Amino acid sequence: QVQLVESGGGLVQPGGSLRLSCAASGIIFSISTMGWYRQAPGKERELVATISSGYGTNLVDSVKGRFTISRDNARNSVYLQMNSLKFEDTAVYYCNAVQIGKSYWGQGTQVTDH
C-alpha cells in the first residue's frame, strides 16, 4: 500500500518561510519522480516543483528563486523549502510520486500566508 504523508504546513506571515516534508512508503522511492502540487480555493491543482530520480529539478516560474525542492532517498522523503512566502502561495500542498507510470498522491497540507 502506497502512502505519502505530508507535514510542515501552517500559518505564516508574508515574507516568512516553511519547510514541507513528505514521507513515502510502499514505493521504490529511489526510482520515483517526486513532486509538489498545490490547490488554492476555487482553483485547479497546479504543479509547483518536481525532482527526478537523478535529482534533476523543475520549478514553476512563480516560485523560482523562492522555493527549493530536495529529496533524501535514505529517508524516502522529499522536501519543499519555501522562502519569501506571498499571499498567493496560500493553498493546500500535495505530495506526488510517479513510479513506472503510476501516480500517487498524499492527503495534502494547508499553507496559509496571512
Side-chain angles (χ1 to χ4, degrees):
Q1 181 181 0
V2 177
Q3 281 193 314
L4 302 175
V5 181
E6 302 101 333
S7 61
L11 294 173
V12 63
Q13 292 187 344
S17 298
L18 283 175
R19 187 189 193 217
L20 304 184
S21 300
C22 171
S25 60
I27 60 172
I28 307 172
F29 186 83
S30 61
I31 68 170
S32 299
T33 293
M34 302 300 297
W36 289 97
Y37 289 70
R38 65 186 180 187
Q39 187 167 18
K43 295 188 177 181
E44 294 186 353
R45 191 173 298 188
E46 65 173 0
L47 171 69
V48 177
T50 61
I51 183 166
S52 71
S53 58
Y55 293 85
T57 62
N58 177 52
L59 291 93
V60 296
D61 287 346
S62 60
V63 307
K64 285 181 179 177
R66 301 189 298 122
F67 291 11
T68 303
I69 187 170
S70 61
R71 65 189 294 160
D72 185 342
N73 286 354
R75 289 181 167 82
N76 284 4
S77 293
V78 62
Y79 308 99
L80 186 68
Q81 178 66 45
M82 305 186 294
N83 298 328
S84 302
L85 281 161
K86 303 177 181 180
F87 176 77
E88 52 263 40
D89 295 318
T90 295
V92 178
Y93 284 71
Y94 295 91
C95 179
N96 175 262
V98 177
Q99 178 187 282
I100 315 176
K102 290 188 177 181
S103 182
Y104 304 94
W105 294 93
Q107 292 299 306
T109 185
Q110 177 71 48
V111 172
T112 302
D113 192 332
H114 66 106

